[in-house]
Each structure stands twice: as structure tokens, then as C-alpha cells.
Amino acid sequence: MSKKSKGVKKKRWTRDDTQLALLALPTTIWYVCFCFLPMFGVLMAFKNYRIVEAGRSFFYNLLHSETTGFKNFEFLFSSGSGTRVLKLTLTYNIAFIILGIVVPVILSLMMSQLHGKRYGKTCQTLMFLPYFMSWVIVGYFVYAFLSPDKGLFNTILTMLNKDTVNWYREPEYWPYFLVFLNVWKGMGYGMVVYLASITGIDTSLYEAAMMDGATKFQQAVKITLPLMKSVIIMMFILSIGGLVRSDFGLFYQVPKASNSLYTVTETIDVFIYKMIKEQPNPNMGSAASFLQSVVSCALILITNRIVKWMDKDSAII
């Protein structure tokens, strides 16, 4: 036996390993039950699922249903609305990605300059609170502002002797509302992520810059932003994965599913929901979801590859 093999000791299972395993067990069970087992349903995207034999399980009927190949994917492209829906989804997501990075970065830079810890914690909490609210609750808040009868906006217009607006029938206003609500709800989470990276920066760099006469703006541009680059790029790569997805709650619950607003709210997920609701067919829904997942994964890998080619240290993997 060589000296190298003699020096290597077999690692034993310790009490700490047991505690960590028990700590991770609930998360592992959750992922197995809700993330891995449902992946079996991907077969439905390539099947014409029917009850082949009554009394049998779902898996038996799925496996014995007719295989249709890629026919279930055709409904996304056969409809004349497919191009419009895809264009609308991409337009919204590009705006969400840009503002979802710029606004939290600016807020994190501002929060890092606050001297009062209690005031800073209060501001962080207030900005982070909307992230935990569901779109259903947000929809009721929005309705309190935009209600045609007693909404705050129409009340103000009445006080100013202006004509009231039926907001849920005027699509030209809603792109601004939806972009604002998306940024408002997610800016707290992004701000916390970027603020955590700022707190990890060596303070001696700022002290040296102050001795050289650098202003706060110059410190942010020359020190903070360059050292935040890897985190910003990571968040950008992850957000690219949602380029062909849309938040169903934002585009369906908040506008109250108004048919008058479909030209500005009917994104891919809303379009799929309406197609399945009008023509109940789980095969088409499964196909659309599978296609979205594949495209999202491909976009993340491609974007990460480009970033790795440009700056190896900024890539995720």
C-alpha cells in the first residue's frame, strides 16, 4: 500500500452530517413530490390522453393513450393570435428585465448610504413587503384605485371637474400599470440581493477613495458598481430564463380578466389558460408548458455561454 493511500482516512458519518440530513429532509421530500414526480406528466405533451380503461389509474391510461408526436404543439402556432401573444410577452419581459435590474440597483445604492440603522431597516421592510403579497390581494388594491364607481382616481377626477375613466375598458393605460406593478412588487427582493453584495465590499476601498477626494457618486461608479458586476450579471442570466413566460396573476387577476384589455394583457400563459378553458384539453397545456421550459432552459444556457465567453469570472457555471 502506498504512502498516499495510507495517509487518506475514510471519512466517517458524523453527528453533524445527521443533523444536516434531517434539516434537508423536508426540502428533499418537497422537491421529489412536487418537482420530480410531476415530470412524468411531460408524456402528456406527446400523447392524446384519454380514459382508455375505466377503473384504471392515471398512469395506466396515460401510457396506453395514443401517441401523437408534436401535434399538441401545433395549437400555439396554428392560431393567428400566436405571433401577437409572443410579441406582447417578449415586450413586457424585456421591460421587466431592464427595470428589474436598474431600479433595485439604484435603491440598493441609496440604502447603503443611509446612516440611521433603524430608518434603514424600516425602509427595507416596507419595500420588501409587497414581494410577499399575492397578485389576488394586489388586484383588490388596484381595484380600490381604479374602480369605475368609487375608485380613488375617478374620485380625484370628479373633484377636478374632469370626466371619469372606465379604467378596465381602456387598454392604453394598462401597459404602464402592469410594468409599474411588476417593478413595485419585485424591487424589494432585488434590492436585498444587491444590498447584501454591497455590504460585502471592503470599506477600506471607500476610505482610500475619500482620502483622494472622490464624491459619493464617483465611489458608486468606480467602486460599488464594478464590484457588483458579478451579482448583476447572475440576476440578469436568471431573469433571461423567464423571457417566454409571464406572471399569470399579474396579467389575469389584476385586470380582472377583462375582455376589453386582452390586446395588452393576453400573454402566453393567459392565452394558454383561455385556450384550455374554452377547449378543455390537458394535452395542449402540457405541451405549451413543456415548450416554455425547454426554451427557458436554452435561453439561460446560451446567455451564460455568451457571458462566459466575454468574462469567465461572471458566468454562473
Side-chain angles (χ1 to χ4, degrees), residues 162-230:
K162 302 289 186 179
D163 294 333
T164 59
V165 180
N166 192 342
W167 301 100
Y168 289 92
R169 292 183 179 274
E170 300 294 337
E172 62 267 22
Y173 301 107
W174 278 90
Y176 305 101
F177 292 157
L178 295 172
V179 171
F180 170 79
L181 289 171
N182 183 81
V183 175
W184 168 76
K185 193 172 186 295
M187 67 180 181
Y189 174 80
M191 182 197 65
V192 170
V193 173
Y194 296 125
L195 192 60
S197 65
I198 292 176
T199 55
I201 299 176
D202 189 358
T203 56
S204 62
L205 298 175
Y206 296 102
E207 294 173 357
M210 291 176 62
M211 293 180 64
D212 292 336
T215 62
K216 292 292 183 181
F217 179 78
Q218 291 173 332
Q219 293 176 32
V221 173
K222 300 295 184 180
I223 299 176
T224 310
L225 288 178
L227 293 177
M228 289 174 62
K229 183 180 69 172
S230 59

Side-chain angles (χ1 to χ4, degrees), residues 23-310:
L23 186 65
L25 185 61
T27 304
T28 304
I29 295 174
W30 187 90
Y31 267 97
V32 171
C33 293
F34 297 101
C35 294
F36 292 101
L37 290 180
M39 290 182 67
F40 186 79
V42 170
L43 293 175
M44 190 180 293
F46 305 94
K47 294 275 190 177
N48 184 20
Y49 177 72
R50 293 290 183 271
I51 304 298
V52 179
E53 187 175 340
R56 290 283 190 170
S57 65
F58 164 77
F59 298 103
Y60 177 87
N61 289 296
L62 177 61
L63 293 174
H64 289 81
S65 296
E66 177 189 2
T67 302
T68 58
F70 293 95
K71 290 184 178 180
N72 290 325
F73 296 88
E74 294 178 359
F75 89 101
L76 278 176
F77 307 99
S78 60
S79 173
S81 303
T83 304
R84 176 183 58 81
V85 168
L86 180 61
K87 181 180 178 180
L88 187 65
T89 304
L90 292 175
T91 303
Y92 274 120
N93 283 327
I94 290 173
F96 292 163
I97 290 172
I98 295 174
L99 294 176
I101 293 177
V102 174
V103 174
V105 167
I106 294 175
L107 287 175
S108 63
L109 291 173
M110 295 173 63
M111 294 295 296
S112 64
Q113 299 301 321
L114 293 177
H115 297 288
K117 292 185 178 180
R118 181 175 298 180
Y119 180 69
K121 294 294 183 182
T122 303
C123 292
Q124 290 180 38
T125 303
L126 293 176
M127 292 181 184
F128 202 22
L129 184 62
Y131 181 77
F132 297 100
M133 298 171 61
S134 70
W135 283 117
V136 177
I137 298 175
V138 174
Y140 282 107
F141 280 117
V142 173
Y143 187 75
F145 283 88
L146 303 181
S147 174
D149 300 326
K150 299 180 180 179
L152 179 61
F153 286 0
N154 279 343
T155 302
I156 296 174
L157 291 175
T158 303
M159 293 172 61
L160 297 175
N161 295 323
K162 302 289 186 179
D163 294 333
T164 59
V165 180
N166 192 342
W167 301 100
Y168 289 92
R169 292 183 179 274
E170 300 294 337
E172 62 267 22
Y173 301 107
W174 278 90
Y176 305 101
F177 292 157
L178 295 172
V179 171
F180 170 79
L181 289 171
N182 183 81
V183 175
W184 168 76
K185 193 172 186 295
M187 67 180 181
Y189 174 80
M191 182 197 65
V192 170
V193 173
Y194 296 125
L195 192 60
S197 65
I198 292 176
T199 55
I201 299 176
D202 189 358
T203 56
S204 62
L205 298 175
Y206 296 102
E207 294 173 357
M210 291 176 62
M211 293 180 64
D212 292 336
T215 62
K216 292 292 183 181
F217 179 78
Q218 291 173 332
Q219 293 176 32
V221 173
K222 300 295 184 180
I223 299 176
T224 310
L225 288 178
L227 293 177
M228 289 174 62
K229 183 180 69 172
S230 59
V231 179
I232 294 174
I233 293 176
M234 180 192 69
M235 297 294 286
F236 171 74
I237 294 174
L238 295 177
S239 61
I240 284 293
L243 197 61
V244 293
R245 294 183 178 272
S246 61
D247 197 320
F248 180 79
L250 173 62
F251 291 98
Y252 189 81
Q253 298 289 349
V254 175
K256 301 296 182 183
S258 176
N259 291 327
S260 301
L261 306 176
Y262 80 97
T263 55
V264 294
T265 60
E266 193 176 31
T267 55
I268 289 180
D269 293 81
V270 177
F271 175 72
I272 294 170
Y273 174 78
K274 289 185 176 180
M275 287 288 293
I276 297 175
K277 185 178 179 181
E278 295 171 1
Q279 304 173 5
N281 191 335
N283 305 313
M284 294 192 300
S286 180
S289 179
F290 177 73
L291 184 63
Q292 282 184 307
S293 299
V294 172
V295 173
S296 298
C297 181
L299 286 173
I300 291 177
L301 295 176
I302 293 171
T303 306
N304 184 73
R305 187 69 178 178
I306 294 173
V307 171
K308 190 175 183 180
W309 176 68
M310 297 177 64

